[in-house]
Amino acid sequence: TVPVITIDGPAASGKGTIAERAANALGFHYLDSGALYRLAALASLEAGIDLSDGPAAEAVARNLKPVFRDSRIWLEGRDVTEAIRTEKVGVAASQVAAIPGVRKALFDLQRNAAQAPGLVADGRDMGTVVFPEAPLKIFMTASAAVRAERRAKQLEARGLKADREALTRDLEERDRRDRERAAAPLKPAEDAKLLDTSDMTIEEVVKKVLDWWQL
Ligand code: CDP
């Protein structure tokens, strides 16, 4: 079987950056599962469907055919790499992610990402639901203030505007919805290692993950 490292945690905890760098260091594939929920949200918003309409959102998720190539994401021949990163789409993603049928529709896409020589997968339920057999599971957290600041810098680096107060509110709303939903709520797997990255640099966190992997 293909080895998988799962990294779960709340919004803007640094999972994506760390997962991608750890994957590069190990020569593993990288799965950004949040991007799939963001794609489902973007497609739902553009189709004009009501985000609380479960069957409609599920149908959209089932028909998603995203292409991941050279760190860019394509949907129906359109480059949506930037379009899925707005906070509006993030909030919409956490709405469609609460729909069990949407989660089911995206399950196989995620499982199929486990290809040799290995995979680093980041999200909310990678260790609890999608890859429960993973030998290394990490639950990454950071304080709300640190997370809001990291997300603001990320948005600004992409040339987007960042309103720190609104960001903090969005992150809190999203985290609450992700933790309180019935389907695959955000929580550490029983065998997950907890890592608070509030006072750590990216390099320190990557090293920690690789050290755990080599143990
Ligand atoms: O980048 P950020 O941490 O803000 O969010 P993301 O990882 O792109 O995920 C966006 C939203 O998708 C989350 O708020 C979750 O509601 C949902 N999600 C999920 O339910 N399960 C996953 N495995 C990944 C994301």
Side-chain angles (χ1 to χ4, degrees):
T1 60
V2 177
V4 178
I5 299 175
T6 63
I7 305 183
D8 290 304
S13 54
K15 307 176 302 284
T17 306
I18 302 306
E20 194 168 10
R21 292 204 192 191
N24 284 338
L26 294 166
F28 282 12
H29 300 279
Y30 163 53
L31 170 66
D32 174 3
S33 65
L36 297 175
Y37 289 92
R38 287 172 178 269
L39 285 163
L42 179 70
S44 298
L45 288 170
E46 290 184 345
I49 71 161
D50 181 341
L51 297 183
S52 61
D53 182 342
E58 178 177 348
V60 168
R62 278 209 188 279
N63 289 317
L64 274 188
K65 289 180 195 68
V67 175
F68 294 80
R69 204 192 321 121
D70 305 330
S71 303
R72 305 214 59 89
I73 306 176
W74 301 77
L75 201 56
E76 313 279 332
R78 177 162 64 112
D79 184 340
V80 293
T81 316
E82 271 85 36
I84 60 166
R85 294 299 159 191
T86 65
E87 274 309 294
K88 181 178 180 220
V89 172
V91 171
S94 82
Q95 286 175 275
V96 298
I99 300 168
V102 169
R103 306 200 70 83
K104 219 182 299 155
L106 299 178
F107 185 82
D108 289 343
L109 273 181
Q110 298 173 75
R111 287 290 307 184
N112 291 339
Q115 303 281 341
L119 177 72
V120 183
D122 98 70
R124 302 291 184 288
D125 62 341
M126 297 297 96
T128 50
V129 176
V130 181
F131 300 107
E133 77 285 11
L136 174 59
K137 300 177 185 174
I138 297 165
F139 194 82
M140 205 170 272
T141 58
S143 70
V146 166
R147 293 190 289 119
E149 190 53 37
R150 284 180 184 165
R151 179 49 44 93
K153 294 232 174 72
Q154 225 173 36
L155 292 172
E156 285 165 354
R158 292 197 176 93
L160 296 166
K161 272 206 320 276
D163 170 345
R164 282 159 172 75
E165 262 178 52
L167 268 178
T168 306
R169 276 197 308 274
D170 282 352
L171 292 184
E172 281 168 355
E173 177 196 337
R174 214 132 64 77
D175 288 346
R176 184 171 6 87
R177 194 167 22 239
D178 290 349
R179 275 195 307 266
E180 293 177 358
R181 70 184 177 214
L186 171 67
K187 62 165 186 219
E190 266 171 42
D191 50 348
K193 296 188 187 313
L194 306 185
L195 187 60
D196 184 335
T197 68
S198 303
D199 300 315
M200 295 173 77
T201 65
I202 292 172
E203 289 70 27
E204 288 170 335
V205 182
V206 172
K207 182 170 185 307
K208 186 88 210 164
V209 172
L210 297 177
D211 285 350
W212 272 332
W213 182 244
Q214 263 121 44
L215 277 183

